[in-house]
Every structure is written in structure tokens, then in C-alpha cells.
């Protein structure tokens, strides 16, 4: 009888989990391209339009930790199925929306569904694939779908919006969601849940969810209100107080929602810290490069997606073809460090990109160096999940996704604000619009490179090197 980690059913389950991840990431990037069409059709104000993104981010980011723990308590398969169902139904509502209020509500529900399904995806994966090499390959596939979804979303969003209408960026989720549900019912194994009595901490759930909501709301509104405004400081202080209360509650609760033992693992704590810094930095690549292509070089929506496609292809080739054997040979930490160094090179080159850039000489090398993401993310994911016990796999998965969303929100707020402020300053100095915009992006790319260097330092000092699998086998044989 084949081991669970190599059975056809396990690989079918991996396909289901990867598809769920693809829908979540695809939805995040596909919307940004179609926002101007939504504004014209539904009559959004500029401030109201931002809530098409913010409503999703707030629901998604604030519920991931809770959804991950609930997956451990009530069953990860149940949580994945319920989340996929909510996301699919909300996509239908979003596509049929005839007013800003309905679309924003649908986006919030999409965030809820995404949190429920994606929070437990890694938890299911690591219990299915227990052999190190198989697990590394599975994590590489899972990571690739996330990277591919971001680039595919930009291309698909432009094509669907131009060829049909913005509504179809949501309708496309319907057949994918239904197919995912049908296959998941058979492919995902029925897991043994701990039961709500093992951690039904209602007060803790309220504290962490409201704290994360307040924090993410404060961060995504920094560009509108300013970092030092009473609005930002007030919600930021409230978020910190609620989250501090949550940690105190978890230390004393008889049945904590998040057992603090999970943070005692250097691998879990270090990997989540590195991810937050890395994702915040790479916002400047994923979003600001797209803005540079459109606002400075004059690319269209579909052209922008195609221009960034080489990055997705090289990330896919590296994560699927190289990351697993490299991790098995050299260990997660060494592969992670190598990947971050390559990513520092990406943002370093972007700090020198000119106003009148040639794609082949100025931008294509940047896209190819994005291979570092294909090395770093699978290694980081493996590290984040390696220190968690099986009973806490859903919680570890939810925590890893939570720090990813917090990092993304921080990247959006901080780097976009710095870029906008620098652009405004250069415009006041009489610089042409394209030159001022480029100067603003240069500053954001430079700060992003600094965040990556900090992530490199944390990874080097906090994460312990692991003895590569091949070396362990030689030692045991001797």
C-alpha cells in the first residue's frame, strides 16, 4: 500500500489546495486592473473605490488566525469547504453588484471565504506529505500557484475587462470554485478535529479579530490620513492594546485560541518575521513596477501583465524544478538566504531604472532575478510549518498567512506613501511628471531593498541551519 504522501489521492488533494490558493491570489491582483471600469460603471468616489480593495484585505487579514485555529478545532477539511463555498457565492454577488455598497459587501464576504480556505491549506498539506522530499515538492507547487496567480491576475484582469466587462473578473471564479468544491469533497482526507472544547476561547477570538481589523484598517488608510495623524495613531494604539490583551489572555486561558507554545519555536517565529519584512518589501516589485510601466512608460493593462510574465515564469521554473532538491541538499535556511540575496538585487536594480527605459536592457534582468522568490518562498514556508505540532498545523498555517497579509498591508501603506510624498516634492521642484513619478518609485524601491536586508539579517541570526537530508543519511549509514 503506498504511503499517504505519495498516493494519487494526496496529489489530487494538492491540486485542490493549489487551486484554492490560486483563486485567492488571483482575486487580489485581478481586481486592481479593473478598478477604473468599476468606478465609471458604479459611480464610486475616489475614496470609496479604495474600499473595493480594503474591504477584502481587512476581512482576509483579520480572520486568518482565527480561521486557522478553528480549522484545528472543527476540522480543516470542513473549514476549507466552507470557505470555498462562501468565496464562490460572494463572487457571484460581486459580479451582479449594481451599486458600490453591494460590491463592497461582496468583497468583504470574499475576504471571509478566502481566510477560511487559505488559513488551513498549508495545515492540510503538511499532514498529507510527511516525507521531507515530497513535502518540499508539494510546498513548491503550493508556493508557485501564489506567485503565478499574482501575475496571471494582472493579465487576465486586463483581458476580461477590455473584452467583456469588469463583472467577469468575478464570474470567472464560479466554475473554478464549484469544481474545487466537487473535487475537494473526494480528495481531501477527513481529519480528526480537536473539538471546540480544546480551544473555544471566545474572548480571545474577539480580541485578536478586532485587534487585527483595527490594525489593518489603520495601515491601509495611512496614505489618506498620514502616518502621524490622530486617525492612524488612534486606530494603531487601539490595535496594539487589543492584541496585547489577546496575548495576555492566551497566556492565562485554560483553553487558549492560540497556544503560545507555537511561538517558542525559532523556526516558526523567525520565518514569520522574515516573511512580514519580505512581503512588505516585495510590494514595491509587484505593484509599483506595474504602476511604473503604466504611468511612466505608457503600457496598457494587458501589456503590463505580459511585461511582468517572465517573472512569473522564472519563479515557477525555479520553485517547481529547483527549490525542492536544493532544500533537500542544502537545507531551508541556506536556500532562503540565497533567495533573499537575489531579491535584494531585484530592488537594487530598480532604484536605477530610468524614465525612458528599455524593457530588454533595464527591466528584463529584473524579471529574471525574481527567481529569488521561487527559492525563498518554498524554503520560508517549510520553515514556518516545521516547528508546529500536527495538532497546531492549522494555527501555524493561519499565522503564516496572517503575517503575509500584515506585511502586504504595511508595504502598501508605507512604500506607496513614501513614493507619493517623494513624487509630490519633485513635482513642486519643477520636475516633469514622468521624472517625478520615477523618483518616487526609486525611493520606494530603495526602502524595499533595506527591508530585504533586514529580513536577511533576521534569517541569518534567528533561523538555525538544518543538516541537509543527504548529509543526515550519510551520517546514519556511517
Amino acid at each position: 500500500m503506498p504511503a499517504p504522501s505519495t498516493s494519487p489521492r494526496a496529489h489530487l488533494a494538492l491540486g485542490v489546495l493549489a487551486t484554492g490558493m490560486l483563486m485567492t491570489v488571483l482575486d487580489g491582483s485581478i481586481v486592481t486592473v479593473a478598478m477604473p471600469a468599476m468606478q465609471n460603471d458604479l459611480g464610486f468616489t475616489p475614496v470609496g473605490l479604495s474600499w473595493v480593495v480594503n474591504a477584502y484585505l481587512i476581512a482576509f487579514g483579520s480572520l486568518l488566525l482565527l480561521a486557522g485555529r478553528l480549522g484545528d478545532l472543527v476540522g480543516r477539511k470542513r473549514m476549507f469547504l466552507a470557505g470555498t463555498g462562501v468565496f464562490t457565492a460572494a463572487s457571484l454577488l460581486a459580479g451582479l453588484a449594481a451599486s458600490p455598497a453591494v460590491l463592497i459587501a461582496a468583497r468583504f464576504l470574499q475576504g471571509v471565504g478566502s481566510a477560511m480556505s487559505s488559513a488551513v491549506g498549508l495545515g492540510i498539506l503538511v499532514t498529507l506529505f510527511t516525507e521531507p522530499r515530497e513535502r518540499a515538492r508539494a510546498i513548491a507547487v503550493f508556493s508557485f500557484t501564489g506567485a503565478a496567480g499574482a501575475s496571471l491576475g494582472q493579465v487576465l484582469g486586463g483581458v476580461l475587462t477590455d473584452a467583456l466587462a469588469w463583472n467577469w473578473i468575478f464570474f470567472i471564479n464560479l466554475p473554478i470554485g464549484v469544481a474545487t468544491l466537487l473535487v475537494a469533497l473526494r480528495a481531501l482526507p477527513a481529519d480528526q478535529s480537536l473539538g471546540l472544547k480544546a480551544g473555544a476561547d471566545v474572548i480571545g477570538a474577539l480580541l485578536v479579530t478586532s485587534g487585527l481589523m483595527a490594525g489593518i484598517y489603520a495601515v491601509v488608510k495611512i496614505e489618506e490620513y498620514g502616518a502621524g495623524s490622530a486617525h492612524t495613531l488612534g486606530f494603531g494604539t487601539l490595535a496594539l492594546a487589543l492584541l496585547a490583551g489577546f496575548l495576555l489572555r492566551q497566556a492565562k486561558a485554560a483553553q487558549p485560541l492560540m497556544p503560545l507554545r507555537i511561538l517558542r519555536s525559532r523556526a516558526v517565529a523567525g520565518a514569520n518575521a522574515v516573511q512580514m519584512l519580505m512581503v512588505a518589501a516585495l510590494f514595491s516589485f509587484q505593484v509599483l513596477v506595474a504602476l511604473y510601466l503604466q504611468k511612466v512608460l505608457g503600457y496598457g493593462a494587458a501589456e503590463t501583465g505580459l511585461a511582468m510574465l517572465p517573472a512569473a515564469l522564472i519563479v515557477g521554473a525555479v520553485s517547481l524544478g529547483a527549490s525542492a532538491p536544493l532544500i533537500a541538499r542544502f537545507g531551508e535556511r541556506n536556500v532562503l538566504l540565497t533567495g533573499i540575496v537575489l531579491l535584494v538585487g531585484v530592488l537594487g536594480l530598480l532604484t536605477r531604472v530610468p524614465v525612458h527605459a528599455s524593457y530588454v536592457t533595464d527591466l528584463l534582468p529584473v524579471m529574471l532575478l525574481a527567481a529569488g522568490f521561487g527559492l525563498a518562498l518554498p524554503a520560508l514556508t517549510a520553515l514556518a510549518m516545521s516547528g508546529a505540532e500536527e495538532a497546531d498545523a492549522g494555527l501555524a498555517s493561519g499565522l503564516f498567512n496572517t503575517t503575509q497579509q500584515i506585511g502586504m498591508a504595511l508595504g502598501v501603506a508605507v512604500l506607496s506613501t513614501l513614493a507619493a510624498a517623494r513624487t509630490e516634492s519633485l513635482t513642486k521642484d519643477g520636475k516633469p511628471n514622468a521624472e517625478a513619478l520615477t523618483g518616487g518609485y526609486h525611493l520606494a524601491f530603495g526602502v524595499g531593498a533595506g527591508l530585504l536586508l533586514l529580513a536577511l539579517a533576521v534569517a541569518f541570526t534567528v533561523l538555525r541551519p538544518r543538516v541537509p537530508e543527504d548529509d543526515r543519511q550519510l551520517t546514519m549509514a556511517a
Side-chain angles (χ1 to χ4, degrees):
M1 182 176 178
S5 61
T6 56
S7 68
R9 184 178 176 183
H11 288 93
L12 184 60
L14 173 61
V16 169
L17 297 173
T19 302
M21 169 61 75
L22 180 65
M23 280 201 305
T24 297
V25 176
L26 187 68
D27 190 75
S29 61
I30 202 172
V31 167
T32 58
V33 180
M35 286 175 67
M38 295 176 191
Q39 184 174 19
N40 294 334
D41 194 13
L42 299 182
F44 272 102
T45 64
V47 173
L49 186 64
S50 67
W51 280 98
V52 175
V53 174
N54 292 344
Y56 180 88
L57 281 178
I58 290 172
F60 186 36
S62 61
L63 292 172
L64 279 164
L65 191 62
L66 175 60
R69 185 53 177 168
L70 287 177
D72 291 330
L73 300 179
V74 303
R76 298 177 200 121
K77 179 178 180 177
R78 290 193 188 100
M79 186 61 66
F80 181 86
L81 292 172
T84 303
V86 170
F87 178 84
T88 305
S91 296
L92 176 61
L93 179 62
L96 296 174
S99 69
V102 173
L103 181 57
I104 290 171
R107 290 287 291 159
F108 185 88
L109 288 175
Q110 278 189 309
V112 173
S114 291
M116 294 169 68
S117 59
S118 61
V120 296
L122 279 172
I124 297 173
L125 187 150
V126 297
T127 56
L128 278 172
F129 296 87
T130 55
E131 195 273 324
R133 284 183 182 273
E134 286 289 324
R135 178 180 288 187
R137 293 190 188 99
I139 287 176
V141 171
F142 192 79
S143 301
F144 164 70
T145 57
S151 297
L152 181 60
Q154 292 172 327
V155 178
L156 197 58
V159 171
L160 288 174
T161 302
D162 291 343
L164 298 171
W166 63 264
N167 314 70
W168 285 91
I169 68 172
F170 299 113
F171 288 148
I172 197 174
N173 291 329
L174 301 182
I176 301 174
V178 170
T180 300
L181 281 170
L182 292 176
V183 178
L185 282 169
R186 291 180 56 86
L188 296 184
D191 50 329
Q192 290 186 344
S193 58
L194 300 175
L196 288 175
K197 292 182 179 180
D201 181 12
V202 177
I203 295 176
L206 291 173
L207 286 170
V208 69
T209 303
S210 56
L212 288 171
M213 278 191 175
I216 293 172
Y217 175 72
V219 168
V220 299
K221 302 301 283 184
I222 283 177
E223 188 172 2
E224 180 180 344
Y225 290 97
S229 67
H231 180 278
T232 301
L233 294 176
F235 275 97
T237 301
L238 175 62
L240 290 175
L242 289 169
L243 293 175
F246 168 71
L247 291 176
L248 290 173
R249 169 76 182 177
Q250 300 314 288
K252 298 178 179 179
Q255 299 172 328
L257 182 72
M258 186 185 82
L260 296 183
R261 64 176 180 271
I262 195 171
L263 298 178
R264 297 192 190 113
S265 165
R266 290 170 66 97
V268 172
N272 278 278
V274 170
Q275 177 178 232
M276 190 179 299
L277 293 167
M278 193 172 78
V279 170
L282 290 177
F283 161 79
S284 61
F285 174 76
Q286 294 170 328
V287 177
L288 295 186
V289 169
L291 291 175
Y292 165 78
L293 290 171
Q294 295 184 51
K295 293 188 175 183
V296 177
L297 299 187
Y299 284 33
E303 288 178 299
T304 299
L306 291 172
M308 299 186 72
L309 192 57
L313 294 176
I314 193 69
V315 168
V318 171
S319 62
L320 294 177
S323 64
L326 288 174
I327 287 172
R329 179 67 185 89
F330 299 105
E332 293 96 342
R333 178 177 178 267
N334 290 330
V335 173
L336 172 62
L337 294 173
T338 303
I340 296 176
V341 168
L342 291 176
L343 293 173
V344 171
V346 168
L347 297 188
L349 287 177
L350 286 171
T351 61
R352 302 175 60 85
V353 71
V355 175
H356 303 289
S358 164
Y359 181 79
V360 173
T361 58
D362 295 312
L363 291 170
L364 186 57
V366 171
M367 302 299 168
L368 297 179
L369 279 176
F373 195 67
L375 293 175
L377 187 57
L380 194 59
T381 305
L383 283 165
M385 298 303 295
S386 66
E389 300 174 9
E390 183 174 342
D392 296 329
L395 174 61
S397 175
L399 179 63
F400 190 67
N401 282 285
T402 299
T403 56
Q404 184 180 82
Q405 293 305 307
I406 293 174
M408 187 183 298
L410 287 171
V412 170
V414 175
L415 298 183
S416 61
T417 300
L418 290 174
R422 178 61 175 163
T423 298
E424 183 179 356
S425 175
L426 292 173
T427 301
K428 288 180 180 178
D429 291 340
K431 300 293 184 183
N433 184 57
E435 187 175 338
L437 284 169
T438 304
Y441 298 144
H442 282 172
L443 176 61
F445 294 142
V447 173
L451 291 173
L452 284 175
L453 288 173
L454 182 57
L456 185 68
V458 173
F460 185 80
T461 56
V462 175
L463 299 175
R464 288 196 179 104
R466 181 182 67 81
V467 178
E469 184 183 337
D470 292 348
D471 290 350
R472 280 204 311 269
Q473 292 175 346
L474 289 173
T475 301
M476 290 173 65

